[in-house]
Amino acid sequence: MKRETSTDACKVEQTATDDVRAEIPGIVRELVHSCGLDDCYDHVGPEPIPTKAAIIEILETTLRVLFPGYFTSARIDPINLEYYLGQKITALFQRLCEQTALAIRHECLRYDLACTHCSEKAKECSILFLRKLPELRRVLGTDVRAGYEGDPAAKSVDEIIFSYPGLYAIAAYRTAHELYHLDVPLLPRIMTEHAHSLTGIDIHPAAHIGQSFFIDHGTGVVVGETTEIGDRVRLYQGVTLGALSLPKNAGDLYRDKKRHPTIEDDVIIYAGATILGGDTRIGARSVVGGNVWLTESVPPDTKVTVAKPELVFKGPSVSSSVKVQTRS
């Protein structure tokens, strides 16, 4: 009997591989066919769309401008500050023009809209955004100060700017919010979802948030599209400012209606609280305790908490199960 050699084994393996690879053209044809189906989505044919990497770079460059010296390895001092900012803002303008034009053109072609002269509109939106940077920097300064004054664990404002996920999410939101109100498509949501993926904090770019805003810890915070938040508001981890459940296929009916709550000035909302509904208003200076579920308004200067639970202790050092009803 002929002994099988390693060469023979390789030939058998290669034949088996070729047989499997022969299925690839059929799979490709099925995918090409699916591009014409209603429930399959693609972007074949129209102009290129904005690139996610370029939009994230726009966000990161904006943060380097808003917090010069924090997010760069190069030394920045009073001598080269003007040169540094001039270089960054020029690059930011160019990149923002390119990606905004692609986003506007995509909307026009996708939805068969009237021509908006996308290149000119992109330049106009970009320079309007740059004009907002000084005020944006001032408001972010109030957010940094709120974080430092509201968190005894913070050793410095540098620590907050460098490392706090809440500040990063707020800065991304405020950047995206300005672009949103300039009617720039796609870019704002990509920016806030990038921050969401990094921090676990989900803030819709259309939400309205006042100054001196602080998110402590942050993971799991959700701020919906039509949320309105006043000045000096503080949120803790796991807070949801959301919408009530909508009927099936109600997206178009409720798309432009207020669906999320209003939070007035100087409110504190503790971990795990859920506040839902467009008619729900939390009055100024109120405190919403942890794990509270609210779908109705609260007047100013109100403290809302859940009843303390009954605790049950079991263990070898306990002669029998002891129930303790905690008291407020």
Side-chain angles (χ1 to χ4, degrees), residues 31-44 110-111:
L31 288 171
V32 170
H33 174 71
S34 71
C35 287
L37 302 178
D38 290 340
D39 291 333
C40 295
Y41 299 95
D42 60 75
H43 199 267
V44 178
R110 173 72 85 175
Y111 303 110

Side-chain angles (χ1 to χ4, degrees), residues 179-253:
L179 292 170
Y180 181 89
H181 281 284
L182 291 170
D183 294 324
V184 176
L186 294 177
L187 275 67
R189 196 64 188 269
I190 291 173
M191 288 180 177
T192 54
E193 290 301 338
H194 172 68
H196 180 197
S197 69
L198 293 179
T199 66
I201 299 169
D202 182 3
I203 308 177
H204 194 285
H208 288 270
I209 300 176
Q211 60 186 12
S212 299
F213 182 51
F214 178 41
I215 302 175
D216 203 353
H217 305 294
T219 305
V221 166
V222 176
V223 179
E225 177 186 18
T226 60
T227 302
E228 297 178 30
I229 297 177
D231 295 336
R232 299 173 300 280
V233 169
R234 186 190 311 173
L235 308 182
Y236 286 82
Q237 68 272 18
V239 168
T240 297
L241 305 179
L244 292 165
S245 180
L246 300 177
K248 187 178 180 180
N249 300 322
D252 290 337
L253 181 62

Side-chain angles (χ1 to χ4, degrees), residues 53-298:
I55 294 167
I56 293 171
E57 180 56 32
I58 288 171
L59 173 60
E60 297 298 332
T61 302
T62 302
L63 295 184
R64 294 187 195 107
V65 169
L66 295 172
F67 297 104
Y70 280 96
F71 304 113
T72 178
S73 58
R75 176 179 176 178
I76 303 174
D77 56 34
I79 295 174
N80 67 356
L81 177 60
E82 186 170 348
Y83 170 78
Y84 170 83
L85 289 177
Q87 186 182 48
K88 290 298 179 186
I89 290 178
T90 301
L92 176 60
F93 176 74
Q94 185 64 33
R95 182 63 63 90
L96 188 56
C97 282
E98 293 170 356
Q99 296 302 309
T100 301
L102 290 173
I104 296 171
R105 189 175 300 125
H106 164 265
E107 294 285 294
C108 289
L109 294 173
R110 173 72 85 175
Y111 303 110
D112 195 26
L113 303 177
C115 179
T116 56
H117 304 284
C118 51
S119 294
E120 292 304 314
K121 186 174 180 181
K123 293 175 184 177
E124 179 184 353
C125 289
S126 297
I127 199 65
L128 288 173
F129 172 76
L130 295 184
R131 290 175 186 168
K132 292 282 188 178
L133 291 178
E135 174 61 11
L136 186 55
R137 187 168 185 228
R138 185 197 69 78
V139 174
L140 280 169
T142 70
D143 300 326
V144 173
R145 178 58 59 183
Y148 182 68
E149 293 176 351
D151 185 5
K155 306 305 180 188
S156 67
V157 294
D158 292 340
E159 185 176 306
I160 292 169
I161 294 169
F162 270 127
S163 62
Y164 273 37
L167 192 277
Y168 184 88
I170 293 168
Y173 152 76
R174 293 204 187 280
T175 300
H177 183 74
E178 296 299 337
L179 292 170
Y180 181 89
H181 281 284
L182 291 170
D183 294 324
V184 176
L186 294 177
L187 275 67
R189 196 64 188 269
I190 291 173
M191 288 180 177
T192 54
E193 290 301 338
H194 172 68
H196 180 197
S197 69
L198 293 179
T199 66
I201 299 169
D202 182 3
I203 308 177
H204 194 285
H208 288 270
I209 300 176
Q211 60 186 12
S212 299
F213 182 51
F214 178 41
I215 302 175
D216 203 353
H217 305 294
T219 305
V221 166
V222 176
V223 179
E225 177 186 18
T226 60
T227 302
E228 297 178 30
I229 297 177
D231 295 336
R232 299 173 300 280
V233 169
R234 186 190 311 173
L235 308 182
Y236 286 82
Q237 68 272 18
V239 168
T240 297
L241 305 179
L244 292 165
S245 180
L246 300 177
K248 187 178 180 180
N249 300 322
D252 290 337
L253 181 62
Y254 290 89
R255 200 173 304 279
D256 297 322
K257 297 184 182 298
K258 190 171 185 340
R259 308 181 309 280
H260 305 89
T262 296
I263 313 298
E264 295 183 357
D265 296 346
D266 300 295
V267 169
I268 299 174
I269 305 176
Y270 282 100
T274 299
I275 303 173
L276 306 177
D279 294 328
T280 304
R281 177 178 291 269
I282 307 302
R285 300 170 300 282
S286 291
V287 176
V288 178
N291 298 317
V292 166
W293 176 283
L294 275 175
T295 57
E296 58 189 75
S297 295
V298 170

